[in-house]
Amino acid sequence: MLDTFPLRIRVLTPEARRLAGLLVPLDMVRSVALPSGDELVLEVERAKEFFGLLADLVTANGFDLERLQILDASTEAVFEYLMRTVTHPW
């Protein structure tokens, strides 16, 4: 069940907009936000697959990632996800 848990990720890179343009077409990317010029916040599904593709994109395009942070992979976030799934089984 946790394989479908959507994950929020924060990426800091000087080329956030260019990286966002490459990530938007990926089917596992649910949303993309650019809160500032060097910050990208993503919501993704199938995290293992996403991280593999992200690594390939970063390497192939020479991106300089300053930081990669999972924003909601806490026990509380997992609990909230499980509770939403139980109360609203889509």
Side-chain angles (χ1 to χ4, degrees):
M1 176 170 37
L2 293 178
D3 292 340
T4 60
F5 180 69
L7 194 62
R8 289 184 50 235
I9 303 163
R10 180 176 175 238
V11 180
L12 293 180
T13 178
E15 298 182 90
R17 185 170 297 279
R18 186 168 75 99
L19 180 57
L22 295 173
L23 296 174
V24 166
L26 301 178
D27 66 334
M28 77 274 302
V29 176
R30 292 177 58 173
S31 69
V32 175
L34 292 159
S36 68
D38 64 347
E39 182 180 9
L40 177 62
V41 177
L42 307 160
E43 184 175 7
V44 302
E45 297 174 334
R46 303 186 327 261
K48 185 176 179 178
E49 182 182 351
F50 170 77
F51 283 120
L53 290 172
L54 177 63
D56 292 344
L57 283 172
V58 166
T59 302
N61 293 280
F63 285 104
D64 178 24
L65 296 189
E66 296 172 0
R67 183 171 189 170
L68 181 68
Q69 178 183 16
I70 297 172
L71 296 177
D72 58 0
S74 68
T75 304
E76 181 178 341
V78 172
F79 176 75
E80 287 176 16
Y81 170 74
L82 292 173
M83 292 307 295
R84 279 194 315 265
T85 302
V86 169
T87 58
H88 299 287
W90 322 58

